[in-house]
Structure formats: structure tokens, C-alpha cells
Amino acid sequence: MNTSADADNEEPLLTTAGKDFWELRIYIAGQTPKSLAALSNLKRICERHLQERYRLEVIDLMQTPQLAAADQVVAVPTVLRALPLPRKKIAGDLSNTEQVLLGLELAGAHAEAEDVLRAISTGEVDAFVRPNQSAGQIVALQGTEEPYRLLLESMNEGALTLANDGTILYSNPRFAGMVGARSDVVGCPFQRYIVPEERARFAAVLAEGTGGSSRGEFTLLSGETAKIPVQLSFHVENCGGTAAVSLLVSDISELKRAEQALEESRREQMRIKDEFLSHVSHELRSPLTAIYQFVSILDDELAGPLNAEQREYLQITTRNIRQLHAMIDDLLEITRAETGKLTVELQWTSARGAINEVVNSSLPSAGEKEILLKAELPPNLPLVYADPARLRQIVSNLVQNAIKFTPARGWITVRAKVQETDEHYLLVEVEDSGCGLQPEVVEKIFERLYQVPTPAEAGRKGLGIGLYICQELVKRQGGKIWVNSEPGRGSRFFFTLPIASLSSLIAPLIGKLETSLYSAALFTVGASSDAGSGKSKTPPDRLCQEMRHVVQRCTLPDLDVVLPKTGSGQSGRCFVLAVAHEEGAKVLAKRLREQLQQWEQSQRTGLAFSVTYTFLDLPPRTPETGGKEWLRAITRTVEALINSEPDVETAAQEGCHA
Amino acid sequence: MPKKKILLIEDDLDVRQGLGIRLKANDYDVYFAGDAASGLAEAGARRPDLIILDLGLPGEDGYLVLGELVASPQAPPIVVFSARDRQAHEQRVRDAGAKVFFQKPVDNEELLGTIRQLLTLADQPHKASEAEVR
């Protein structure tokens, strides 16, 4: 500090006032770096001008909040946003107080006083001084006006002031309680009370804070081990170059607990609902079985001959039993759809077969309403990569819906073709001449439990889950489903399924074939059942499916591909394309034979197996041939080999003749 | 040729009676049991050619009964006929040694066709077990 020579020569104002002893009462708000600095500054001033002739009483308002005792005090809060004390007022008051310390300082040590004033005006020190009959009083405050201070002290949230590096300048008791601090938290970095993994995020918020408010959720460390979820509300205030942060700390553990309890109870309810649905579907099955059995006993005239009327009534009963059966199945399906457990077993399958089958089995119910139901399918419809049972389920659902919503003597047409916009998909369409759908219905029709407002004659409503399940099944098989419809102009339901393509299956092996000296072999695993007749026959689908699983278990994920079941004529066989040299192929063949034999021994399926392989005559890969072209060439080679394989049935018969 | 013997272990009286009529109408000798203990006893005494087993027998774990039936010497093929969820039980039942899982209700033709097939196959155990793996 500059002390001018002029000031030194002048008679100190204190002395001219004739007082020889000074009692000074200093108020500070917490032992913050600022208040302590202000205090030591004042002590120095007193030391210089009053030597031994003064007594300093320091009152920490944070420890003994008796602000009322200092009726002269004008507090200038810095903890909360505060009115900065107008410098003019301070100067004016100070000029009136000749006996007063700072007045003395102004007269005697201009520079030093200027420094204090600067500190006051920039908010580093808040001070106001007034003469008093007994003593001059200097108040340096970093606190707040009493009502606000009391509010801060008693509130249920933690309230703090931080320096912009996170050092705690002020904290109310609640915060200290939250973190279970044994000693004063003032002077400590706030970061210390946040869990380590969130400290960087906190620092980022501080660094970013150039002004204004923000909030975020953090986790406080409380005591040794406890953690408290909190919401921190930051308010950054710039005061003369340095920033101070007001921080409000709200304990949100209760909120979190409530949220968690809510989520748990939601899950529990879902579980109970699923369990209930599964239980209901289970319990309905036994009585339904008995009803079906006795109705079919009557219908088959096992209990005596029927007249035409009785037969008709029994057939109506049977049809309703089937409906009920389908609904019970749907009940379980919807639980599965919701929990992601709908299963699809993808294989190469014929959409033509599925569509024709559904159309044929739906002819009777369409006939009852004199609806003309037909399939229009072009020749050479490609196979799709889908689950045949699920495909039938989707088409059947759409056709049954169409029958329900098409008035008597209308028509329904099922079509299929390669999608024009994407040749990798087959587009299936079910069109009807029914009542059509309102736009708002079109929007919601695939939603779960949505019921189309039914015209009176359409009869029963059903469960409202058929189209939802259709949508889930189509999605799960890689396709899309949608509807085009206008009221009075019928509806056209569309869905797509990926077309089966050999090259998409072979593609993942191309890299291995390129980078290695490996060659590729095509394995043919054949099975035939020669039980009973002595003549070899294609085994039932169920066994073929299981055989595929056995074969699948023998293969290596990156090197072998089990080619999908192709649906027509080859169900007794399965093909594996393997990236392998001579030795590898022998190993795979051995493994296949062993596993199939083991399976046969445990299940006694009555099947006989054959495992054969040929190495592919790979087309040369030259820099000129692109990867795609090479893949196409390999695909053609594989295709030719598969198609040249005679069917099991033919082969077996030839064997008999030989 | 003597009639084939089928043991129907099922606790639901109505289902048992209905299925019994259907099986008899298809020329099988049918024996009944309504719980696990009598089911196992009948299986030992009657030496059936095929067993139809309900998993939900009173007070018994159907899988334990299935296990005992499978483990008995010269166990006949076993068809499980249950109201339980196919997705959850089909594979489990097969792994436990049953030949087929049918979820109630099942189409008559499907059930009878499978029974015929299993009985024909069981007629040539010699042939089936020696089926050559080439």
C-alpha cells in the first residue's frame, strides 16, 4: 500500500478528536478468506494509527447471530445477490465521521483508504462505519441481511457460496449435516463432497458458468460410505472480474425412492398380468379339450347317427371351438409379443404354399357370406426367408379380418409379387371390397388392443390383438406391414418379407475365401426314414427340423453356413457350405456323422443318414472381377450343385432298382 | 394281430373319457390312470405299447413321472399331452425322453396320426436302432 508522506505529517484525526482509547466492534460473517483478509487489514490500520490505544472485538455472525446488537450495522450481502452499496454513500458517510477509523485513514493514509474503498466497492469487503457515543463501529460483513440469513440458516436445502474454483466460501448448517462434515466445510473444495466419478462433470458446470442459472443431478458423499442423490441449482454471479457461485443443494433421495418404487410396482403388475394371462390360457385348455373331444365324437357319429340338422349344429359348434382355441393361443402370444419372446424359425419357404393353404382353409367361412375369396399369384414367385407357420398365421389373420369386415356377396383377393421398390422383398397383399377404414382408424389399427368400431352385422369383436401380433411377427421376420384404405372403398393390407437369397448367406464367407488358401466344400446331409414299408421316405418335418439343429451344432460360426431349408422337395436334406481345405472337410464330415449317430441313438428316430461333400470349383478371382461379381459366380456354382442333387426319394428308389 | 395297448395317464375325468372313446374307436385297447402312482403301476402291469401322459397330475411333478416312465426297462414311446405352454415345454419334454409334445387341445387326426407312426416305428426297434450311419 502507498502511504504518502503528506499523510504521515498530518495530525491523525483520531488524536484531534481527543479520544485516547478506542473500542472497536468488528462483525464478520463466517471465517471466510475475504472476511479474514478484511479483518487483518483493519488490524493493520489500527496498529498503525492507534498503537496500544484500542481494543478490537470480533463477532462472527455465523457463530453467534446477534445482529440486533449492532444497530448501526448496514449489511451488504454478498452471499445472496445483493444491492451493491453505492460508493457515493460510503464516501459521504465517511467524510462525516472525523473520529472514525476509516475517516482517519482517509485523512491520514489516502492510498490505504482508497484501497479499502476499492475493496468495498468491488465487493471484496463490505463495510460501513458510523460514529457512536461510546465507540466507532466498523462492520465488515460478508453475510446477508438478517431475515435472509436466518432463512438460509434454517432452510431444508443446503445453501452455499463457492469461489469459481469450487472453494466453499459459505455454507449453511444443513449442507454440513448432509455431508456429515465433522469440521468446517468452509475453505474446502466442494468437489470433495461429490462422488469421484461425477467430479469432472461438476468442474465442467463450474467452468462453463459465466452467468445465469443451471441445475443438474449429482451424488453427494455423506460421511464414510453413504451417498445421497441431490439436485444442484447453480447461480453464477459475476462481481467485478471474479465469479461467485450460489449453490442450492436439494436432497432428492425421497423422490428417487418413490420413482424406484413406482417402477418396481409397474414391473410387478406386468408380471402379475403375464402370469394371469398364462394361467388363464392354461386353465381354459382342459375344458376346451373335453368339449372338442365330445363334439367330435358326436360329429363323427361314434355315439350314433345324426340327422342333417344336428350335423349342421355340431359343425357350428366346432367352428366356434376353433375360434376359441385361436383366442386362447392369442392370449399367450400377446404376452410374448410384449416381452419380446415371440419366436420365429426362419427358413426358405414358399409364400405360394402358405397363401394357397390359408385361402383353401378359409373358403368355407367366406362361402357362408357368399364372399368370393381367391389368390392371384404369378408364376415363378421366389421363396421367402420366413417362418412358414408364422407366415400362415399372418395371412390367415388378414384373410379372417377381411371376411369379417366384408359384407355378403363381396370379394377378397390375396396377391403376392416381388416389391417394385425393393427387389429383395416379396410384397403380399390382401384386398377386400369391405366397408373400408376411416383415416383415424388406419392410424391406430396396428395398435395393441385396438378395436375397429364394428358395424352391427360384423358381429363379435375379438380380442383386438390380431393385427398387433401380425405387425410384431412381420417386424420380427424383417418386413413391414401397412394398410391403404378409404371409407366405402375397401381395404388393402400389405406386408413384406425378405426374399430368400443364397448370395446373402454366402456373402459373409467371401472375406475368408479371399484372404486364405482355403477352398470351399458343399456338404450334403441326407436323412431318410425306412421304417415300416421298407421303402425309403422323406422323414417328417419335425425330425428334419431337429436334424438341422444337430447339423448346426457341428458347424463353426465364421467358416460354415447351414443353407436354409428350401421348402420344396428337399426337406430330407440339408446343405452346409464350409470354408475348408481337405483336412478340415474330413474333420467336419466326421463330426457330422458322429453327432447324427449320437442323436439317432438317443432319440431312436428310425432315420438313416448320409454325409457327402464336394469341393467347389471356385471361379478365379482376378483384380478385374469385382467382389459382387465373384459372389454371384460362387452363388451360381452352389445353386447348380444343390439343384443337381437328386431328391432323397428318387435316390432311394434308384438304389432299390440297382 | 392283437390290439395295441395304450395307457392314458390323465387326471381330468372328462378329457380321459373323451380321449378314451376316440382311441377305442380307433381300435386300441385303452387303460386309464388318474395319478402318478397308479400310472406307474399300470405301466408296469399292463406293458402298454404307448403311453399318453398329462404333465399336470395331482400333487406330482409331471417331469418326475416322465423320468420314471422313461427309465423303466423296455419303456414304450411316450406322448406328452398337456395344457402347458408349448414354447416353454416342448423341448424340455423331448430332452426328458418323450417322443412328442402335444398342447391341449389337439386335432384328432394329428394325435392319431402321430400315435400310429410311433407304434409302427416301435414295431421295428431292431431295424431302427441299427439304422446305419453311412
Side-chain angles (χ1 to χ4, degrees), chain A residues 74 84 87 90 100 112 136 150 169 176 282 286 298 315 346 349 373 391 447 460 553 574 602 644 657:
Chain A
V74 175
R87 179 171 176 166
I90 297 174
V100 160
E112 207 163 353
L150 287 176
L169 303 177
H282 176 250
S286 291
L298 293 177
Q315 274 160 5
L346 299 181
T349 189
L373 169 64
L391 175 55
E447 285 176 13
R460 296 179 196 151
R553 280 203 296 272
C574 107
S602 71
S644 73
H657 292 306

Side-chain angles (χ1 to χ4, degrees), chain A residues 429-589:
Chain A
E429 176 189 352
V430 178
E431 184 177 9
D432 65 52
S433 67
C435 50
L437 300 167
Q438 298 288 339
E440 64 269 20
V441 174
V442 168
E443 255 173 53
K444 290 185 188 159
I445 196 158
F446 293 106
E447 285 176 13
R448 192 174 68 93
L449 301 183
Y450 183 75
Q451 302 264 10
V452 174
T454 42
E457 70 269 24
R460 296 179 196 151
K461 283 190 156 183
L463 296 175
I465 55 184
L467 285 175
Y468 170 73
I469 289 174
C470 278
Q471 185 185 36
E472 291 300 307
L473 286 174
V474 170
K475 270 197 219 160
R476 206 148 289 228
Q477 298 180 76
K480 285 184 193 141
I481 187 166
W482 68 96
V483 58
N484 289 345
S485 181
E486 275 176 53
R489 314 191 76 168
S491 305
R492 301 174 72 186
F493 281 85
F494 298 91
F495 71 91
T496 60
L497 288 175
I499 286 172
S501 103
L502 206 50
S503 63
S504 60
L505 283 165
I506 297 175
L509 301 186
I510 285 291
K512 285 283 190 313
L513 280 169
E514 267 176 337
T515 56
S516 70
L517 298 171
Y518 288 166
S519 49
L522 182 73
F523 282 72
T524 309
V525 180
S528 62
S529 127
D530 55 357
S533 61
K535 183 182 131 193
S536 289
K537 280 195 301 194
T538 301
D541 276 359
R542 179 175 60 79
L543 288 179
C544 292
Q545 190 69 34
E546 278 183 48
M547 180 181 84
R548 292 182 58 80
H549 288 157
V550 175
V551 170
Q552 188 83 52
R553 280 203 296 272
C554 298
T555 58
L556 298 173
D558 294 334
L559 292 172
D560 313 321
V561 173
V562 180
L563 301 180
K565 202 178 125 184
T566 49
S568 62
Q570 295 168 337
S571 58
R573 286 178 303 160
C574 107
F575 297 96
V576 182
L577 182 62
V579 177
H581 49 72
E582 194 74 49
E583 276 309 303
K586 273 185 197 160
V587 170
L588 179 56

Side-chain angles (χ1 to χ4, degrees), chain A residues 332-358:
Chain A
L332 263 191
E333 290 278 66
I334 191 149
T335 327
R336 292 197 190 116
E338 279 174 350
T339 50
K341 284 180 194 155
L342 271 187
T343 53
V344 293
E345 290 234 15
L346 299 181
Q347 56 177 258
W348 287 8
T349 189
S350 154
R352 175 193 305 281
I355 292 170
N356 282 332
E357 207 175 303
V358 171

Side-chain angles (χ1 to χ4, degrees), chain A residues 281-283 285-290 292-294 296-298 300 302 321-322 325 329 332-333 336 341-343 390 528-534 540 542-543 546 549 593-594 596-597 600-611, chain B residues 10 12-22 25-26 54 75 81-88 90-91 94-95 97-100 103-109 111 114 117-118 120-122 124-125 127-134:
Chain A
S281 129
H282 176 250
E283 290 302 312
R285 284 175 191 280
S286 291
L288 188 67
T289 304
Y292 168 72
Q293 277 167 353
F294 284 101
S296 71
I297 285 167
L298 293 177
D300 291 347
L302 296 183
I321 290 171
R322 287 190 204 287
H325 187 182
D329 284 345
L332 263 191
E333 290 278 66
R336 292 197 190 116
K341 284 180 194 155
L342 271 187
T343 53
R390 296 305 199 180
S528 62
S529 127
D530 55 357
S533 61
R542 179 175 60 79
L543 288 179
E546 278 183 48
H549 288 157
R593 288 187 183 117
E594 282 170 1
L596 287 167
Q597 193 159 24
E600 164 57 28
Q601 274 162 5
S602 71
Q603 291 289 315
R604 305 240 317 254
T605 53
L607 294 184
F609 305 101
S610 67
V611 176
Chain B
E10 163 71 75
D12 187 311
L13 283 173
D14 296 344
V15 172
R16 204 159 82 195
Q17 189 188 352
L19 191 50
I21 294 172
R22 175 64 60 182
N26 279 270
D54 176 21
F81 187 46
S82 167
R84 295 190 191 175
D85 182 22
R86 176 197 302 277
Q87 204 170 308
E90 184 163 29
Q91 194 56 48
R94 291 250 186 89
D95 291 345
K99 292 291 177 190
V100 191
Q103 188 179 32
K104 290 179 185 173
V106 66
D107 188 77
N108 287 326
E109 281 318 304
L111 180 66
T114 304
Q117 207 183 356
L118 287 172
T120 320
L121 206 60
Q124 293 109 8
K127 225 170 171 179
S129 65
E130 280 189 0
E132 192 189 347
V133 178
R134 275 163 285 176

Side-chain angles (χ1 to χ4, degrees), chain A residues 348 502 506 522 524 563 570 573 575 577 614 616-617 631-646:
Chain A
W348 287 8
L502 206 50
I506 297 175
L522 182 73
T524 309
L563 301 180
Q570 295 168 337
R573 286 178 303 160
F575 297 96
L577 182 62
T614 24
L616 292 192
D617 193 6
L631 174 60
R632 260 201 296 276
I634 295 175
T635 308
R636 273 199 301 273
T637 314
V638 174
E639 230 159 17
L641 272 171
I642 291 179
N643 291 333
S644 73
E645 288 275 332

Side-chain angles (χ1 to χ4, degrees), chain A residues 13-53:
Chain A
L13 283 175
L14 280 176
T15 321
T16 55
K19 246 180 171 306
D20 52 12
F21 195 82
W22 293 78
E23 281 186 9
L24 298 165
R25 193 177 292 157
I26 311 289
Y27 291 87
I28 59 167
Q31 301 203 358
T32 69
K34 276 185 206 171
S35 64
L36 294 176
L39 198 59
S40 78
N41 205 15
L42 284 167
K43 277 182 183 165
R44 252 186 311 109
I45 293 168
C46 293
E47 203 57 54
R48 175 179 302 165
H49 297 286
L50 305 173
Q51 284 92 36
E52 306 282 325
R53 295 171 291 133

